[in-house]
Amino acid sequence: RLSAPQQQDLLNGYDRSGKAFFRGLKELVTVGYFSSEPGATIALRYDPVPGDYRGCVPLSEIGRGWAT
């Protein structure tokens, strides 16, 4: 029932507190999202057959992270 700004303030408070439970929950949610189809195809760039390996490419060159 909290407004969006109140929800954000609540979560920011939990994040700043450094509690192990919230850190673990945040990690699981992040891994779960980026392991899902929407996370890997919308938020990341998914290429099932990547090309040559090029390390240390500037993010501005590729636009966003890769999920392979």
Side-chain angles (χ1 to χ4, degrees), residues 6-7 12-13 17 21 23-24 26-27 30 32 40-41 43 46-47 50 54 57-58 60-61 64 67:
Q6 290 172 319
Q7 292 175 20
N12 285 337
S17 73
F21 170 77
R23 268 196 328 264
K26 187 175 168 183
E27 180 179 347
T30 302
T41 58
Y46 178 73
D47 186 359
R54 294 176 33 218
V57 177
S60 60
E61 186 178 320
R64 56 188 175 175

Side-chain angles (χ1 to χ4, degrees), residues 6-57:
Q6 290 172 319
Q7 292 175 20
Q8 189 67 45
D9 288 342
L10 180 67
L11 292 175
N12 285 337
Y14 286 144
D15 200 22
R16 282 190 301 273
S17 73
K19 302 247 184 220
F21 170 77
F22 188 73
R23 268 196 328 264
L25 177 63
K26 187 175 168 183
E27 180 179 347
L28 290 173
V29 169
T30 302
V31 169
Y33 174 71
F34 287 109
S35 299
S36 71
E37 184 175 347
T41 58
I42 297 170
L44 300 173
R45 295 176 69 183
Y46 178 73
D47 186 359
V49 183
D52 296 334
Y53 173 75
R54 294 176 33 218
C56 298
V57 177

